[in-house]
Amino acid sequence: MKKCKDFCDKLSDYLDKELGENECVLIEEHLDSCAPCSLIFEGLKIAVLVCSEGISDEMPDEVSARLKEFLRNNCRAD
Amino acid sequence: MVFAMEEDLQYVRATLGGDFDAFERLVDKYQGKIFRHLRKMVSDSSLAEDLLQDTFLNAYRGLNGFSGASSFSTWLFRIATNVALMYLRRDRPETVEYDDKIMSELADVLTPSPEFVSTPLEVLLSQEGKVKIEQAIDKLPVLYRSVVILRDVEGFSLEEVANIVGASIPAVKSRLHRARHIVRETLTSYYIEKGSSRNL
Ligand SMILES: [Zn+2]
């Protein structure tokens, strides 16, 4: 019988669909019957989701302008 | 995706043929993502700007060496990652060296929390929520941070991440596993605290 920690150690790979079918079934059965692990799994999914949505790739216009100027000065001199 | 790769390849060929405008199209397309990656790797916007310039200059100078075996974006992120790591190893070696030690100490924390899980997405992604996400990622050692950014923010496959950071796939998986749990733990404790202060 595996412990909760053994299941939690696999949740990240499970999210990435890196586990075989048998392991997936074991994890899904455990998550269905264990409230703490299922909360941890939900939390992990949300953490991954908010990372993907929550970090802006906007950059200040002046950073972009300086980059262009830098490259025009340095690349063309080559 | 195939279309994007084909388009990048055309810009690369045009650049190599002497068309500098084509290189600027690549810069326009990737500067925001590369800046975000560097900003998170070194936790400093003005330093990230210097490294951004180095990254694109190195890319331009090394464009001949781009074989097309990987996508242009994988290739470019690898340059950016190396530029950042080279800087960190030289100027802040302590941030890179003790990574695994810190992480093995942090690895066993697991808090199941209804407070975090039931927080609405619009709160999690509010201005304040986003600051917390940035802080949670900044708390991670740099090698873990870079893997989370590449996989969960940029959406690279595990294989591409391994290729970009120059690590094996099992090493990437293990860093990702720990890093995601740490981010979850950090956000969880924040929302537990926030919940209890609201109930006072
Ligand atoms: Zn359990």
Side-chain angles (χ1 to χ4, degrees), chain B residues 44-176:
Chain B
D44 176 340
S45 289
S46 89
L47 177 57
E49 180 176 350
D50 291 344
L51 301 178
L52 176 75
Q53 296 182 349
D54 289 349
T55 297
F56 278 103
L57 184 60
N58 287 356
Y60 182 79
R61 290 183 170 155
L63 210 53
N64 260 321
F66 171 65
S67 63
S70 63
S71 67
F72 178 75
S73 76
T74 306
W75 183 78
L76 188 62
F77 271 89
R78 190 164 58 225
I79 295 177
T81 304
N82 286 338
V83 162
L85 284 178
M86 218 146 59
Y87 167 82
L88 291 169
R89 290 208 169 99
R90 191 188 61 216
D91 285 50
R92 301 191 218 154
E94 71 289 351
T95 60
V96 185
E97 246 172 72
Y98 297 108
D99 274 10
D100 281 307
K101 187 165 164 272
I102 299 169
M103 290 310 280
S104 57
E105 284 164 11
L106 286 175
D108 279 334
V109 276
L110 292 172
T111 316
S113 151
E115 289 87 343
F116 175 47
V117 169
S118 61
T119 305
L121 211 53
E122 61 261 33
V123 175
L124 294 170
L125 292 174
S126 66
Q127 211 44 45
E128 188 189 340
K130 285 181 178 173
V131 171
K132 289 296 148 191
I133 298 164
E134 295 254 2
Q135 287 173 350
I137 291 185
D138 287 344
K139 243 184 78 170
L140 296 167
V142 63
L143 294 179
Y144 293 75
R145 217 185 297 150
S146 56
V147 162
V148 169
I149 299 289
L150 292 167
R151 175 76 184 122
D152 292 338
V153 182
E154 299 301 343
F156 284 109
S157 70
L158 291 169
E159 200 181 343
E160 286 168 327
V161 175
N163 182 334
I164 291 169
V165 301
S168 67
I169 292 180
V172 167
K173 282 185 186 173
S174 127
R175 283 179 201 164
L176 198 55

Side-chain angles (χ1 to χ4, degrees), chain A residues 58-60 62-64 66-67 70, chain B residues 34-55 83 87 92:
Chain A
E58 270 172 47
M59 58 190 280
E62 58 277 18
V63 172
S64 172
R66 285 193 292 262
L67 173 62
F70 172 84
Chain B
I34 296 290
F35 184 64
R36 168 168 65 186
H37 179 55
L38 291 169
R39 184 169 62 78
K40 296 316 286 173
M41 275 193 81
V42 299
S43 311
D44 176 340
S45 289
S46 89
L47 177 57
E49 180 176 350
D50 291 344
L51 301 178
L52 176 75
Q53 296 182 349
D54 289 349
T55 297
V83 162
Y87 167 82
R92 301 191 218 154

Side-chain angles (χ1 to χ4, degrees), chain A residues 2-5 7-8 30-31 33-38:
Chain A
K2 285 192 171 191
K3 286 195 224 126
C4 287
K5 179 159 184 316
F7 287 101
C8 287
H30 182 76
L31 291 178
S33 63
C34 177
C37 283
S38 132

